[in-house]
């Protein structure tokens, strides 16, 4: 059997290991668009940006023994198209891979609203290790930094940049639709802690216009009419499932990749797990996208077991899969 996995985050790695545990001789290939020395722990990126931990501390312990387990990782492979009938994935670099079973574990990507999507020089997403390196570098340029984003990731971006001693303006648009929902008294306490770190919060505001002043400085115009001169805009926008490459593939996509309770997609031999999967609860009719490291590990493991013929279901312990954030609580991080 040849198992192909797209994405080398926690879901992809957990799946590969579960397959290996069940199938000694299977060929297992993980293809990912990113290029990194070792798989890394995304939730630690804010601490790396803050300067609290070194680059080495980001290494994901799940990822250290992949070669030993004969799990091959191919980097710099961005999937362009899935041919579910022909059981083949084509990549942006012109190569293609066949499979007997395929796992889609492509996670989420920040959704950059207009006008942020048109200014790659000014706007840095708060998402990957290469983004984090860029943010650290750019944080050395003096001047205020604008953080854009509605929820959890916005808070983390503000925390990490304020910790570097930077002046931060947080443009906080309408509440997030899919991310970790923070509301009520808890939200009030978190916002209080964020502003005590010197962050100026512009609640319910938005960016309507962005212009480049020179090589290093930019100006954003806010919905409330204010102009802010800044050295970068960190886009801690909502992460929405990375599914664009599935167009025309026959794999059903809603907001995420629609899966049944065994994490099978609508296409034969194709599974999805982690932040890219859209889970459906047959009992309640509820549809949801999970966000969280531990949930991705659990779903990835289950998908891997099923790719190896396990026949398991995820829905019985619903709480096991919802909002499984790893790390300290937000309030503790802000202390
Ligand atoms: C800054 C930040 C802080 C976070 N903090 C926390 C936290 O404190 N606690 C917590 O639990 N969660 C946190 N999260 C969320 C957590 O990282 C995710 O829930 C988790 O990584 C999802 O795992 P995944 O395997 O589904 O996808 P991902 O980890 O997103 O991995 C998917 C991989 O697939 C790759 N990919 C995408 N498209 C393609 C393609 N077309 N072809 C090939 N490869 C592709 C991506 O580049 C990526 O490497 C944070 C996320 C971010 C961005």
């Amino acid at each position: 059997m040849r198992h192909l996995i797209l994405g080398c985050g926690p879901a992809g790695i957990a799946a590969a290991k579960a397959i290996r545990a069940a199938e000694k001789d299977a060929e297992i290939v993980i293809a990912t668009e990113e290029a990194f020395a070792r798989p890394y722990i995304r939730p630690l990126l804010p601490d790396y940006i803050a300067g609290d931990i070194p680059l080495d501390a980001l290494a994901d312990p799940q990822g250290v023994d992949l070669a030993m387990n004969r799990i091959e990782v191919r980097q710099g492979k961005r999937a362009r198209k899935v041919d579910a009938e022909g059981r083949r994935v084509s990549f942006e670099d012109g190569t293609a891979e066949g499979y007997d079973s395929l796992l889609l574990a492509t996670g989420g990507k920040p959704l950059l609203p207009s006008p942020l999507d048109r200014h790659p020089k000014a706007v840095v997403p708060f998402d990957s290790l290469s983004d984090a390196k860029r943010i650290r570098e750019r944080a050395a340029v003096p001047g205020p930094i604008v953080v854009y984003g509605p929820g959890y990731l916005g808070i983390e971006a503000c925390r990490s940049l304020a910790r570097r001693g930077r002046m931060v303006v947080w443009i906080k648009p309408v509440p997030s639709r899919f991310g970790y929902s923070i509301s009520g008294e808890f939200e009030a306490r978190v916002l209080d802690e964020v502003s005590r770190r010197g962050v100026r919060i512009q609640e319910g505001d938005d960016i309507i216009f962005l212009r480049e002043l020179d090589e290093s400085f930019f100006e954003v115009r806010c919905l409330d009419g204010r102009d802010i001169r800044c050295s970068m805009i960190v886009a801690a926008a909502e992460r929405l499932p990375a599914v664009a490459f599935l167009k025309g593939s026959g794999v059903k996509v809603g907001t995420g990749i629609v899966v049944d309770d065994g994490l099978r997609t609508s296409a034969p031999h194709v599974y999805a797990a982690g932040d890219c999967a859209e889970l459906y609860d047959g009992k309640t009719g509820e549809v949801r996208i999970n966000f969280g490291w531990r949930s991705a590990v659990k779903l990835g493991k289950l998908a891997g077991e099923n790719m190896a013929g396990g026949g398991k279901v995820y829905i019985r312990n619903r709480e096991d899969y919802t909002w499984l954030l790893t790390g300290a609580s937000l309030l503790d991080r802000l202390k």
Side-chain angles (χ1 to χ4, degrees):
M1 284 286 277
R2 184 170 211 269
H3 301 281
L4 178 62
I5 295 169
L6 299 182
C8 194
I13 295 176
K17 290 194 161 180
I19 296 170
R20 176 57 71 226
E23 290 183 1
K24 205 164 53 65
D25 298 322
E27 187 184 352
I28 307 171
V29 175
I30 303 181
T32 184
E33 66 182 0
E34 286 193 79
F36 39 62
R38 283 166 293 184
Y40 61 92
I41 304 175
R42 214 173 279 271
L44 289 182
L45 292 179
D47 297 324
Y48 170 66
I49 293 170
D52 288 342
I53 57 168
L55 191 59
D56 280 355
L58 294 176
D60 180 358
Q62 266 210 120
V64 295
D65 53 357
L66 294 176
M68 225 170 68
N69 280 301
R70 289 170 292 117
I71 295 164
E72 189 185 336
V73 180
R74 299 202 185 145
Q75 300 186 359
K77 296 268 172 201
R78 175 175 294 154
R80 186 175 57 81
K81 196 166 181 278
V82 172
D83 169 6
E85 249 176 50
R87 295 202 203 172
R88 209 168 171 73
V89 177
S90 326
F91 296 90
E92 299 277 358
D93 64 3
T95 59
E97 297 277 352
Y99 61 82
D100 295 306
S101 83
L102 172 69
L103 176 68
L104 308 169
T106 47
K109 285 264 162 69
L111 177 74
L112 298 194
S114 174
L116 302 191
D117 55 348
R118 296 198 297 272
H119 292 274
K121 215 159 96 187
V123 178
V124 189
F126 188 64
D127 190 48
S128 66
L129 178 55
S130 60
D131 298 329
K133 286 180 175 169
R134 224 177 122 208
I135 292 171
R136 261 179 77 124
E137 235 174 71
R138 294 273 296 278
V141 177
I145 295 172
V146 166
V147 167
Y148 176 89
Y152 178 79
L153 292 176
I155 295 165
E156 280 291 79
C158 289
R159 174 178 75 85
S160 59
L161 291 163
R163 183 117 173 96
R164 287 197 82 91
R166 304 309 312 274
M167 192 205 153
V168 179
V169 180
W170 180 14
I171 298 182
K172 184 173 177 295
V174 285
S176 53
R177 287 167 299 163
F178 303 105
Y180 183 57
S181 68
I182 301 161
S183 56
E185 198 189 321
F186 179 64
E187 182 184 30
R189 285 172 62 199
V190 168
L191 295 190
D192 199 40
E193 288 296 334
V194 171
S195 46
R196 285 209 303 158
R197 258 138 209 85
V199 174
R200 188 173 94 207
I201 305 175
Q202 297 189 189
E203 180 79 49
D205 207 347
D206 219 320
I207 295 175
I208 55 169
F209 182 73
L210 197 171
R211 74 185 174 114
E212 293 172 16
L213 298 174
D214 58 35
E215 274 303 302
S216 313
F217 287 97
F218 311 94
E219 189 172 73
V220 297
R221 170 148 306 158
C222 303
L223 197 57
D224 72 359
R226 276 188 269 193
D227 289 332
I228 306 168
R229 185 175 181 273
C230 60
S231 60
M232 91 176 128
I233 296 106
V234 173
E238 283 182 277
R239 287 186 104 221
L240 287 192
V243 293
F245 65 100
L246 292 172
K247 209 167 167 201
S249 63
V251 175
K252 190 171 171 202
V253 172
T255 301
I257 302 161
V258 178
V259 289
D260 68 10
D261 59 7
L263 302 180
R264 285 173 292 262
T265 72
S266 59
H269 314 289
V270 183
Y271 295 74
D275 282 14
C276 68
E278 182 172 313
L279 311 171
Y280 175 71
D281 185 333
K283 282 192 207 128
T284 63
E286 184 200 20
V287 169
R288 66 175 194 278
I289 313 269
N290 281 9
F291 172 88
W293 187 269
R294 291 198 193 122
S295 170
V297 171
K298 285 195 171 222
L299 291 169
K301 180 168 182 285
L302 194 139
E305 287 166 351
N306 284 351
M307 288 164 81
K312 298 196 173 170
V313 296
Y314 76 85
I315 212 78
R316 294 212 180 107
N317 298 312
R318 182 178 175 282
E319 281 67 34
D320 284 356
Y321 297 99
T322 313
W323 307 135
L324 284 180
L325 289 181
T326 187
S329 92
L330 265 182
L331 279 170
D332 287 335
R333 289 177 203 209
L334 286 161
K335 275 179 191 144

